[in-house]
Amino acid sequence: MRLDKDKILSILLVMPSILAVMIFVYGFILWSGRVSLSQWKGLLPNYEWAGLQNYINLFNDPRFHIDVRNTFIFTVLFVFGSLILGLMLAVMLDQGLRGESFFRTVFLFPMAISYIVTGVVWRWLMNPAQGERMSGFNILFERLGLDFLINQWHTTPGWGIAFIAVPAIWQMSGYVMALYLGGLRSIPEPLREAARVDGATELKIYFHVILPLLRPITLSAMIILGHISLKVFDLIVAIAGKQVALDVPAVYMWQTTFDGYFFNRGASIGILLLLSVAVLVIPYLRYSLRSEAEL
Amino acid sequence: MSKKNWYALLAILLIGAMALTACGGQEPATEVAPEGGKSEVEVFSWWTGGGEAAGLEAMIAIFNEKYPDIEFINATVAGGAGTNARAVLATRLQAGDAPDSWQGHAGQELIGTYVAADQIEPLNFLYEENGWLEVMPATLIPLISQNDNIYSVPVNIHRANVLWYNPKILDENGIAVPTTMDEWFAAMDALKAAGVETPLAMGEQWTAMHLLETVLLGSMDPAAYNGLWDGSTAWDGPEVKAAIENFERILTYTNSDATSLSWQDASQLVVEGDAAFNVMGDWAEGYFRELGKAPNADYGWAPVPGTGGTFQFLSDSFVMAKNAPHRDACIAWLTVAGSKEGQDAFNPVKGSIPARSDGDRNLYGEYLQSAMDDWASDVVVGSLTHGVVANDSWKTEIDTALGLYLGSGDIAAFQSALAAACATSGPCK
C-alpha cells in the first residue's frame, strides 16, 4: 500500500480521537476491571488482590437481588411498552391523515427532554398522597369519578419500579414511532397492492407483510431501548431519590462508590453492567457489520 | 493551497487549540505565583445558596478585615449535603491537588475518610492557643477526635433529636407533649382514635434514618448509645432489639406517602396542621420561619421522647490539609472560623447555634436561644445520619440495611444486618 500525503494526513487527523478512546474508554474499562478485583475501600487506592470476592459478595447481597429484579421488571415493561406504543403511533400516522407532521412533532417532543426533567414532572404527576393532600393524576381521577384508578404509583410496595417505566415509555415511544414510520414509508406500495389483490384484509397485510419487513427496525429499537433501560439512573434518581425499594445497579454503584467509598464494589457493579449491555450490543454490532459488508 | 488542505489546516488548528485549553484547565490555580507577595487560602465547601452561603460570606468579610493581605478563594461545588462536592474533593485529593481547608461534617465522616487516608492535620495546638477547650462542651471534644487528636474546627451546631409538634392539634385533643416513648405511643394512639390521619410525618429514606438514630438514643441511655459507635454496646444485643421494636411501632403512625416527600414536605405537614409530630433536625426551624410561621403558636419543640437532657448534635467543620499549600493562611482562616466573632457572624444567618458556648444570645431567635441553653448544659452525643458517629462506609451499609427493612418489614434480618455492618465497616470484631 502506497502512503500518499492525503493518507498520512487523514491518519494523523483521526489519531487524537483514537488515542482518546483507547485511554478514556478501553483503558478505563481495564482499570475498572482491576479495581473490581481489589480491596479498595476508602479514599485512597488499595490494589491488594481480592480475586472474585467482590462479585461473590454482590451475588449474596440482598440489595443487589432487588437491583436485578427491578432492572428486569423495568426493562421488560419499558422495551415492550415503547415498542407497542411506538408501532401503534406510527401505523396511525401512516394512514395519511391531515396534520400528520403536527402530530409527528408532538409525539417526538418528549425525546428532546432530558430524563431529569421528565422525572421531576412525573414525580408531581404521580404524587401518591391520599386524602386532602391528593394531587397530580390521583386528583384528576377523583374528579373524573375514576376512583378505582387512584393508586400509590411508584410507592406501591414491591412493584413501584413498574410505574417508573410509565414516564420512560412516554419519553421514548415517540422515538420508536419515528423509527417505524421511516420503515413503513420505505415499504413499496406495490407490495400492499399485491396482497390486496390476493384477497388479504388490511389486518392480515400488517401481520404477514409489513411487520416481517419491519423486523430489522424492531431489532435496532430493542437494542437501543434495552441498553438505555439497563443503564437507567437519572430518571429514578429524579423521581425517587436514593431509596432501596426502587434501587437499580447504576444507583447502587453511585451510592456505594461516592457515599460509602466502596470503590471495589462500585467497580464490580460497573463491570457487571458493562457485561449485561455487551450481551445485547455485541451480537447486534456483528449483525450490522456483516449486513453492511454485504451491501 | 487547495481547498481541502485549508480544511485540514483548520482542523489541526482547532484540535491544537482544544488541547491547549484542556491543559490550561488542569493547571492548579495554586501554582500561579501570588502577585506582590500576597498570600491566599483556598477553602472548599458546598455552601452555595441560602443562609449557608450568606453565612459564609459574613465570615469571609470578617476574615478579609482581619487579614487583608490574604486572598480568600471560595471554592464551592453545588449539591445538597455535599454529595457532589465530596466526589470532587475525593478526585482532587487522589490527584494530590488538595485545597488548604475544606468543609466536612464533624466526627467520623471526616476522621474515617480523611484521617484514615492521612490527608489532614491534628489541630490541638489551635485549640490550646485560642482557649477553645474552655468554651466548647467537654463531651463534644471526644466526638471530633481520634486518639486524642482533634481534627476539625466546628463552626456551627445543629440538633438532631428535636420533636416538632403542632400545638393546636395537641391542645384540641388534650395531649401533653410526650417525654417518654410510652407517652409518645399513647399520644399517637389517641390522635389516631381522634381521626388524625398522620400522627407522625416522615419523608424519604434518609429522614427514616434520622428518625431511627433518635429512636436508638431514646431507647437506651446516652452511654449505651455512645457504646454502639465504639463497639462496647452489641448491635445484636437486647438494647438494639428494644429500639428496633420501638422503631417498628413508630413507623405505623407515619404517612403512607413518606418515600415521595422531601424533609421540607414532611416538616411542612406539621405546621400546616396535616400531622401532629415530626422528627427532624433544627434546620426545620429556619424553614418554618421561611413559611411565615411563628414559634410556639404554629410549631412547638421538645427533645425526642426519651432523649431529654441529651443533645444529639451535628456540625459543619473545617479541616487543615496535611502539607497545605498555604499553611499559615489556613491557620488564620481556622482561627477566624473558631472565633466568637466568626461564629456569631455565621450562625444567625445560617440558622444554627455557635459551637462555642459564649455566643451573643441577643443575635439569635427564640428557638435557637433554647438550643444554646441545652448545648451548654446537656450531655452531647453525635448523630449518625449527619456523619458524627459512623464513617461513611458504615453509614451507607446501615442505610442499605434500613432500606431493605423498610421494604420487607423483617426486624430480625434488620438487626443482623446492622450487626454485620458494624463488623465489616465499624469497630465491632
Side-chain angles (χ1 to χ4, degrees), chain B residues 157-403:
Chain B
I157 299 294
H158 277 296
R159 187 175 194 171
N161 61 327
V162 187
L163 178 72
W164 304 97
Y165 59 86
N166 184 312
K168 287 176 202 128
I169 296 183
L170 294 199
D171 281 350
E172 279 163 20
N173 294 286
I175 289 168
V177 179
T179 58
T180 67
M181 281 284 164
D182 287 333
E183 281 176 32
W184 196 17
F185 292 144
M188 292 196 286
D189 281 333
L191 287 167
K192 247 190 171 168
V196 176
E197 224 174 281
T198 307
L200 176 66
M202 192 175 84
E204 56 190 310
Q205 193 172 313
W206 77 260
T207 70
M209 200 210 260
H210 187 107
L211 180 63
L212 174 68
E213 73 179 36
T214 62
V215 172
L216 279 170
L217 178 62
S219 308
M220 56 188 86
D221 59 60
Y225 175 81
N226 279 334
L228 289 173
W229 313 111
D230 63 21
S232 58
T233 305
W235 280 90
D236 48 8
E239 292 101 336
V240 174
K241 184 159 189 281
I244 292 177
E245 282 165 4
N246 283 338
F247 184 64
E248 183 185 36
R249 179 152 178 205
I250 286 167
L251 288 180
T252 62
Y253 301 106
T254 57
N255 40 318
S256 60
D257 61 336
T259 52
S260 70
L261 300 186
S262 66
W263 72 263
Q264 287 99 330
D265 299 331
S267 297
Q268 193 171 357
L269 295 181
V270 171
V271 288
E272 301 293 352
D274 290 317
F277 298 111
N278 173 232
V279 172
M280 185 39 60
D282 59 8
W283 47 92
E285 213 254 348
Y287 182 62
F288 295 154
R289 286 174 173 274
E290 252 172 63
L291 294 173
K293 304 291 177 185
N296 290 322
D298 297 310
Y299 59 91
W301 60 88
V304 170
T307 69
T310 313
F311 196 113
Q312 193 171 28
F313 92 104
L314 58 124
S315 163
D316 289 301
S317 65
F318 283 91
V319 301
M320 179 155 74
K322 201 158 221 175
N323 308 321
H326 315 92
R327 192 167 184 277
D328 291 339
C330 183
I331 290 173
W333 153 247
L334 292 175
T335 308
V336 169
S339 69
K340 180 169 184 297
E341 207 182 345
Q343 301 211 339
D344 273 345
F346 177 80
N347 286 299
V349 188
K350 159 94 160 89
S352 48
I353 63 170
R356 306 165 62 105
S357 46
D358 60 351
D360 181 357
R361 285 174 62 89
N362 298 326
L363 297 170
Y364 299 87
E366 199 178 343
Y367 165 74
L368 292 175
Q369 288 186 358
S370 83
M372 288 168 86
D373 294 340
D374 290 345
W375 177 245
S377 61
D378 281 2
V379 174
V380 173
V381 299
S383 155
L384 158 68
T385 316
H386 308 283
V388 182
V389 289
N391 63 58
D392 282 329
S393 301
W394 190 6
K395 191 178 103 183
T396 54
E397 294 294 82
I398 294 175
D399 186 47
T400 297
L402 172 65

Side-chain angles (χ1 to χ4, degrees), chain A residues 63 154-155 239-247 251 255, chain B residues 204-205 259-260:
Chain A
R63 177 165 173 177
H154 59 281
T155 60
I239 294 181
K242 292 183 257 189
Q243 51 172 306
V244 172
L246 297 179
D247 206 35
V251 175
Q255 206 181 354
Chain B
E204 56 190 310
Q205 193 172 313
T259 52
S260 70

Side-chain angles (χ1 to χ4, degrees), chain B residues 397-422:
Chain B
E397 294 294 82
I398 294 175
D399 186 47
T400 297
L402 172 65
L404 291 169
Y405 162 71
L406 291 174
S408 69
D410 183 345
I411 60 171
F414 185 27
Q415 191 172 5
S416 60
L418 288 176
C422 182

Side-chain angles (χ1 to χ4, degrees), chain B residues 116-167:
Chain B
D118 200 21
Q119 296 286 323
I120 55 179
E121 222 181 281
L123 300 171
N124 298 44
F125 68 95
L126 267 180
Y127 278 73
E128 282 155 18
E129 279 168 23
N130 294 295
W132 291 343
L133 291 168
E134 282 85 64
V135 293
M136 293 194 193
T139 39
L140 164 70
I141 301 300
L143 294 169
I144 58 174
S145 311
Q146 174 99 321
N147 301 329
D148 293 328
N149 289 322
I150 310 173
Y151 281 102
S152 65
V153 179
V155 294
N156 68 343
I157 299 294
H158 277 296
R159 187 175 194 171
N161 61 327
V162 187
L163 178 72
W164 304 97
Y165 59 86
N166 184 312

Side-chain angles (χ1 to χ4, degrees), chain A residues 6 9 13 40-41 43-44 62-63 66 123 128-129 133 155 242-244 255 258-263 265, chain B residues 4 8 83 87 90 93-94 113-114 117 119 205 257 259-260 269 274 392-393 396-397 399-400 403-404 424-425:
Chain A
D6 273 2
L9 189 64
L13 281 176
W40 181 0
K41 173 184 157 189
L43 191 62
L44 296 184
R63 177 165 173 177
I66 290 183
R123 184 185 169 134
R133 294 187 290 113
T155 60
K242 292 183 257 189
Q243 51 172 306
V244 172
Q255 206 181 354
F258 293 107
D259 291 355
Y261 298 104
F262 289 98
F263 284 88
R265 190 192 293 161
Chain B
K4 203 165 144 196
T83 315
L93 293 178
Q94 283 160 10
T113 305
Y114 304 117
Q119 296 286 323
Q205 193 172 313
D257 61 336
T259 52
S260 70
L269 295 181
D274 290 317
D392 282 329
S393 301
T396 54
E397 294 294 82
D399 186 47
T400 297
L404 291 169
T424 53
S425 300

Side-chain angles (χ1 to χ4, degrees), chain A residues 58-124:
Chain A
L58 270 182
F59 289 126
N60 292 321
D61 182 345
R63 177 165 173 177
F64 196 66
H65 296 167
I66 290 183
D67 293 355
V68 172
R69 175 180 179 272
N70 280 348
T71 305
F72 181 76
I73 296 173
F74 181 83
T75 304
V76 169
L77 290 174
F78 168 60
V79 171
F80 287 99
S82 303
L83 283 179
I84 292 167
L85 200 64
L87 180 63
M88 278 166 52
L89 292 174
V91 169
M92 282 194 297
L93 284 185
D94 196 39
Q95 304 306 312
L97 70 166
R98 260 166 41 134
E100 184 213 308
S101 64
F102 171 75
F103 286 108
R104 200 173 51 210
T105 319
V106 166
F107 293 145
L108 260 177
F109 263 148
M111 211 188 76
I113 301 173
S114 80
Y115 265 137
I116 290 289
V117 179
T118 309
V120 170
V121 172
W122 280 78
R123 184 185 169 134
W124 293 331

